[in-house]
Amino acid sequence: DRTRVWGGALESLTLEHDGSGEIFELAERGQGVLLLGAHIGSLDLLGFIARRYDLRVNVVAWFDNAERINAFLEAQGPEQVRMIHRAPSSVQAAFEIRARIARGEIVVILADRFAPAGQGGAAARTAWESFLGRRARFPLGPFLLAGALGCPVYLALCLRTGPDRYTTQMRPLAP
């Protein structure tokens, strides 16, 4: 499916929604929303969903070592999917995120990774929790930012549920 998404052959994909209606309603009303995702499912479908539903989506990430995903997201067109580069040790991205939320746009952060030590990662900005029976470290930054923005916050995933079939799952984390 990834090669079809990157090649633009999306007509045969079926996309079902579980909770996405709330996001579409917020976007229609001009209300910005923060979507917190994880490295599970398909970020590649983001451009497809943005075009299909005429959404303005901003992806926050470290893009220095991700040339292919960078090029793919840029190819989606500046009106649909834009990138916010999160430089480790800079607060510039936080100001960009706040401005785009204020304009009623959607901002997506994959909230399950943290910067490596020496590149802006700090144990003080992570928390250890039990996850799938083992201790795992999670970043606090996306959640602290969500609280500071005071906007609706949703868990957002796009999961493959079968051949040519995906389901978006959106769950409110904060009103």
Side-chain angles (χ1 to χ4, degrees):
D1 291 345
R2 170 174 259 184
T3 56
R4 284 194 293 169
V5 170
W6 283 44
L10 301 167
E11 303 79 30
S12 64
L13 294 181
T14 300
L15 188 61
E16 297 174 352
H17 298 285
D18 181 1
S20 298
E22 294 175 39
I23 305 301
F24 299 149
E25 288 173 17
L26 289 168
E28 192 172 296
R29 292 195 319 253
Q31 168 70 57
V33 63
L34 180 63
L35 302 181
L36 299 180
H39 287 82
I40 180 173
S42 179
L43 176 64
D44 300 328
L45 284 172
L46 186 59
F48 171 61
I49 293 168
R51 279 193 314 276
R52 179 179 273 186
Y53 296 97
D54 194 30
L55 302 172
R56 288 187 181 215
V57 175
N58 302 275
V59 177
V60 180
W62 288 282
F63 288 104
D64 289 343
N65 63 350
E67 293 176 20
R68 288 188 301 158
I69 191 69
N70 223 2
F72 169 74
L73 291 172
E74 286 177 354
Q76 301 309 300
E79 290 302 310
Q80 298 307 126
V81 178
R82 288 171 287 164
M83 296 171 287
I84 299 174
H85 179 72
R86 194 253 188 242
S89 77
S90 172
V91 297
Q92 180 62 35
F95 290 107
E96 287 184 48
I97 292 166
R98 183 179 68 186
R100 294 179 192 195
I101 293 285
R103 287 196 305 253
E105 298 178 13
I106 297 169
V107 175
V108 179
I109 300 174
L110 295 179
D112 62 340
R113 302 263 173 99
F114 52 89
Q119 295 181 20
R125 290 181 285 184
T126 60
W128 287 90
E129 295 294 331
S130 177
F131 182 72
L132 300 175
R134 301 177 88 182
R135 302 274 296 154
R137 194 164 75 166
F138 293 94
L140 294 177
F143 303 97
L144 295 171
L145 179 64
L149 290 171
C151 67
V153 180
Y154 284 74
L155 169 67
L157 302 172
C158 186
L159 303 173
R160 186 170 195 257
T161 56
D164 301 330
R165 179 173 229 86
Y166 285 83
T167 299
T168 60
Q169 296 190 359
M170 307 286 176
R171 297 293 182 267
L173 298 176

